[in-house]
Amino acid sequence: MEQTGRRASVGGQQGAIKNIERELVCPSCKELYTHPLILPCQHNICHKCLKELLYLTLEDYTDVSSEASTPGSPRIRLTSTSVERIDRLVRSASQRNSLGRKGRGSKRNSLTPKITTIACPGCLHDVDLGERGINGLFRNVTLETIVERYRQAARAATAIMCDYCKPPAQESTKTCMDCSASFCNECFKINHPWGTIKAQHEYVGPSNQFRPKVLMCPEHEMEKVNMYCEICRRPVCHLCKLGGAHANHKVTTMSTAYKTLKEKLTKGISYLISKESQVKDQISELETLIEQTESNGERAKEDATCNFEKLYNVLEERKTFVVRSIENSKALRLEKLKNQVEEYQGLLENNGLVGYAQEVLKETDHSCFVQIAKQLQTRIQKASESLKSFQPAAQPGFEEYFIDMAKEEDLLGEIAFSKALAMPEINMEQSKIYNKARICWNEPSDSLSADSYVLEYRRLDNNEDLLWNEIETTNTSKILTDLDLNSQYCFRVKGFRGSTSTPLSKEILLHTPPAPVFNFLFDDKCGYNKEHLMLNDQLDTVESMAGISLLLGAERVQVGCYTCLDYIIGDTGITKGRHFWSFSVESHSYLVKVGVASDIKLQEWLHNPRDISSPRYDQDSGHDSGSEDTSYDSSQPFTLATIGMKKFFIPKSSHVAGATTDRVLPLPTRIGICLDYDEGKVGYYDANNMKCLYERDVDCIGTMYPAFALLGGGTIHLEEVITANHLDYSNEI
């Protein structure tokens, strides 16, 4: 039963540490740590590995010094790497260096330098071991214990036998750290009787490693470490604090350091455990990328092979054509030359034409001779002329069939990968969300153009919606209409060309409006002051100007300002529901007020008579006196916020702190207003990120209209609603 329980315990340990191998491997020897030491950079290294590094560093230094002092002497390297000799070298160097410092006027022996700086194999930085060198480092007993537990889990089937049993020995169940021995239950009871000092010994599970019961100070070997230096981040003893290297350092008790570091480590572990699902998702994404890399690599290799096969086929066709042309020319020339040879052979005696003519001369019949002699005479005359101007029927050279491959060789030698598909980049200036979402992206100018794109998006403030929605398009923009209100979305895009795809672009975040978009234009009839306001043809931009009347009466104006607020409203009113609209105000605008107002209040404002050309006109006697800002604690049928000097001024309210700076905000490039008619609330937003800047109650009576007022020079642009017919454009445009 005991053995079964122990094996179950070992199995549990094995499951708990099965995935931490890389943390237990020495960066120098690439094996499990053996007596690990903590370097000043907080990395660990085996005791034997550190000694070897010190020896190699000392050996390299000695070699360089020998070469520098005796350049003509052969270089001799020491080959022994025994631990004893390393210790001897380091100790002798340290002792000689110490004696050299004590002796008055003595010089340091350059052949026996003290090497205390090594390159950490973990971080590759140079670390100084200090005056005591390897003797001043702490042994990482915690890591040593974890390594031993890992070794036990790895050899779970191999039992550790009792050191005190008579043969045959039993399996051990405990290991005494004070006795440095393993015991079975019976032997442990015999050697650790109750009521004795041995009964208080510390014991653990079966183990072959025996760590010290307490840590001793490496500087003061007889003192236990009982404090923690926060500057050097290492345990120290009280002598180190009193007069040692840590005298002026900030130290804390070991229990406090233990509690603080354990809390930090626990929080760090808890954070990583809480992000386990995120880590798994990222691992899945990386595994998907590995699969895509493998498949895309094979596909690219196949495409390259296919392209070279096409090139081989073209070359083979041209080769066949050229060789056939040369063969035809060769056959034709040989035929002509052979025929010419036969003709000239006929000119020889008793051969061909001459022989035939000689036989004709033997003819005695005059009529028969005359009949054939004329034709034969003509042939002999031509042969005689050809002898005088001999010309071969064909030339043996084939220079005209020489192929100059220099240009083609250069082209073939320059065969390289074409411009790769580059990752598209989402254009933040053109991308926005209003009544719809418009996402635009660009491609680097020095890359290939993609044939199609896939736009991916997902809602971030819904934990259940973790999957990406995908939409394919051949254009460099896409309009989305199925997004939820008052939600944040993440967007990314990638391109495709044939079977090749680009990496995913960087993700961008956009926020949808808090309410449905209210579409309207400026009203050019109700209360519209043509003298001071000018609308564009689309009725979505209004500009304030001085006006003819003021300019004509300017000669009477000596002091003060003889202008007032000029109001303009939307051409559509609101009687129920939630609505949102946005606009932009030019930064040069002098003073602009924006908000909402009821039809009753607008009648009061728009029908107030005034003569701005009169010098006796009091600009503060009317609706522009600012009285609408003085009593915002009570709900009124209007609210207006002020804009000017590139600032946004929040109206006075009990909800806003009294300090002036709290009411002044930087002017957003796009301002949004959300009116909840049913709840009687109006909010001002930064329309770029849909962040609420200010919200207050408003008395919604009758019909509420978007209201704007301008004083002096200023311009307001209404946000244009997004439509599909003019925003979804392609690469060719």
Side-chain angles (χ1 to χ4, degrees), residues 537-558:
D537 296 338
Q538 291 76 28
L539 302 181
D540 59 0
T541 299
V542 61
E543 184 177 359
S544 174
M545 51 191 175
I548 298 297
S549 300
L550 178 61
L551 296 176
L552 291 175
E555 59 187 13
R556 294 179 295 168
V557 178
Q558 301 298 329

Side-chain angles (χ1 to χ4, degrees), residues 610-653:
R610 55 192 182 274
D611 182 9
I612 63 172
S613 62
S614 172
R616 293 182 298 274
Y617 176 72
D618 183 5
Q619 64 167 352
D620 292 332
S621 63
H623 59 269
D624 60 319
S625 62
S627 60
E628 63 270 17
D629 290 340
T630 60
S631 58
Y632 262 14
D633 292 341
S634 61
S635 179
Q636 299 189 46
F638 68 93
T639 181
L640 295 172
T642 304
I643 296 172
M645 298 177 62
K646 301 180 182 180
K647 304 292 183 183
F648 178 85
F649 297 85
I650 297 177
K652 295 178 183 178
S653 171

